[in-house]
Amino acid sequence: MSHIPLHTSVNKEPGKERYELKRGLRARHMSMIAIGGSIGTGLFLASGSTIHSAGPGGALVAYGLICVMIYFLMTSLGEMATFLPVSGSFSSYASRFVDPALGFALGWNYWYNWAVTIAVEISAAALIMKFWLPESSSLLWSSLFLALLFVLNFLSVKAYGEGEYWFALIKVIAIICFIAIGLMMIVGIMGGEAVGFRNFTVGDAPFHGGFMAMIGVFMVAGFSFQGTELVGVAAGESENPRVNVPRAIRQVFWRILLFYILSIAVIGLLIPYTDPNLMSGDLENIAVSPFTLVYERAGLAFAASVMNAVILTSVLSCGNSGMYASARMLWILAMEGKAPRFLRKTNARGIPTRALYATTAVGMLAFLASLFGDGVVYMWLLNASGMSGFIAWVGIAICHYRFRKAYVAQGRDLNDLPYRAKAYPFGPVFAFILCMVIIVGQNYTAFAGETIDWNGILVSYIGLPLFLLLWLGYKFVKKTKVIPLQECNLTRDEH
């Protein structure tokens, strides 16, 4: 069975085409890539509505459970990515350890998800700019931001890593400041009298709306953490994946846990869940972001402008990661013969330029689709990508389960693994079950009424049949089968 070397180098002769990536990401880049991918508008804007829906206690439990799931997924990915650090990550792992058809479907699903996300983020960035310049052109800002993201990814993988490092660092500093100010307000050092824990028991808090409200928040919380798997995609271009990937995974999990849990706890303690403003935070109304509300209560008049700038860097960070991840996924699909072969070409700096051009073009077309016909086409594109992140997580859990089984079946010593996930097999099985619960329950209310909401079901679940069509279609055409454990490709071709 064909496989891709960890550091592919097909031909380096002058004038010959190159098909190689370069390892230019340092340890600090790897840590910030995973943090930057998982901290975004889900925390800065959507956290208020989750507290409003389930109370502070319900939101904390839901986010805490997602954090546990993410930990298991990250350790599963870490074990595979340190042993086989390839840019295709879980797409390549699925082709090696499960079935080439699953690798094909996961790869195209992930590429499509991030390509559409680029359009989402440049649209959001243009909307944010209207906070300062309400009469300016959305098309102009979107074009400028798309050009910025393209240049960061075109220059070198180190330029992408540096861009992501500084984008993510701004978010991290903003969250640390928020938590520090919030804690001072709770004990009465800032903002007047001490708030204490009284808002945690307002009405029927800390748990509001019962078990089903918590389940609803659990579904929403999952979207907030999508992007943590980027560290696996970037492993193929890490300078020292055996050291940098495990370190990034350990640091990222605890930082994300503290950032999310402490931020939600601070919001829940300072703003009662009954406050209607918690439901109003969105890109068009930064002034009622829960972060902005807390800053204003601390007496900081510039809060809205500061949060607007932070959220702008947040969406640009997400778009930057989307551009990187989708270009790399398209490149590995081409290298494995699952995408047009001409997309394999890289330049002298190790950038898969043709895959980058194709991804940028799709992101631009998706954005243009949002401007015409009332955005109907764009909304369908967006809905179709809604489940893609969860499908990728399911793929990671399956791949790790099969990887460890194959590793043992082929007589290898587990002590030789560069990094070992401690909770196997519970970890991948637990993550698989929770991800499936999120996927199936994405719009459970559509089934709960007196009449079934078929339109709601179609909008929420369209990504699932599209994924199955990719998987089963490739399986039918190529006649692929599940790979026996003894035949799983564990070859490590390091150059």
Side-chain angles (χ1 to χ4, degrees), residues 200-244:
F200 229 67
T201 54
V202 166
D204 59 352
F207 298 97
H208 168 65
F211 179 74
M212 293 311 292
M214 198 185 305
I215 291 295
V217 169
F218 178 71
M219 302 297 173
V220 174
F223 284 97
S224 300
F225 290 89
Q226 289 189 12
T228 47
E229 74 287 340
L230 284 165
V231 71
V233 177
E237 292 171 274
S238 170
E239 286 182 345
N240 188 354
R242 287 195 171 202
V243 174
N244 293 347

Side-chain angles (χ1 to χ4, degrees), residues 49-201:
S49 64
T50 61
I51 293 171
H52 186 80
S53 300
L60 283 171
V61 170
Y63 275 90
L65 199 55
I66 291 289
C67 277
V68 172
M69 181 182 78
I70 292 298
Y71 172 75
F72 289 133
L73 284 170
M74 293 285 280
T75 54
S76 289
L77 188 57
E79 181 171 297
M80 295 184 289
T82 48
F83 184 77
L84 291 167
V86 293
S87 283
S89 193
F90 41 88
S91 169
S92 294
Y93 301 148
S95 295
R96 285 171 175 253
F97 312 139
V98 188
D99 183 345
L102 181 62
F104 174 85
L106 282 174
W108 279 105
N109 169 78
Y110 198 69
W111 172 80
Y112 170 79
N113 174 42
W114 279 110
V116 173
T117 298
I118 293 168
V120 176
E121 301 307 330
I122 63 173
S123 298
L127 198 60
I128 291 169
M129 291 304 297
K130 286 184 173 290
F131 177 86
W132 293 297
L133 303 165
E135 302 303 319
S136 60
S137 166
S138 294
L139 189 59
L140 172 65
W141 286 116
S142 296
S143 301
L144 289 172
F145 289 132
L146 183 62
L148 171 65
L149 300 181
F150 174 82
V151 168
L152 284 174
N153 281 269
F154 183 79
L155 289 174
S156 68
V157 69
K158 188 176 180 181
Y160 155 72
E162 282 296 325
E164 191 57 27
Y165 177 83
W166 291 105
F167 281 146
L169 186 61
I170 292 170
K171 291 190 284 188
V172 168
I173 291 171
I175 293 170
I176 291 172
C177 291
F178 172 78
I179 292 170
I181 290 170
L183 291 175
M184 287 191 286
M185 291 173 68
I186 290 166
V187 298
I189 297 174
M190 283 185 72
E193 63 172 313
V195 176
F197 288 87
R198 64 170 179 259
N199 287 327
F200 229 67
T201 54

Side-chain angles (χ1 to χ4, degrees), residues 319-382:
N320 190 37
S321 293
M323 188 81 80
Y324 171 82
S326 49
R328 294 322 185 268
M329 190 60 76
L330 194 55
W331 176 82
I332 200 71
L333 287 168
M335 291 297 291
E336 294 178 341
K338 297 184 177 79
R341 305 289 281 182
F342 73 90
L343 295 169
R344 298 178 301 161
K345 186 178 179 181
T346 60
N347 63 15
R349 298 184 303 279
I351 301 299
T353 48
R354 292 179 178 177
L356 182 61
Y357 296 148
T359 297
T360 305
V362 170
M364 183 172 61
L365 289 172
F367 167 71
L368 292 174
S370 70
L371 301 178
F372 301 103
D374 297 326
V376 174
V377 173
Y378 175 66
M379 288 310 299
W380 278 107
L381 291 173
L382 196 57

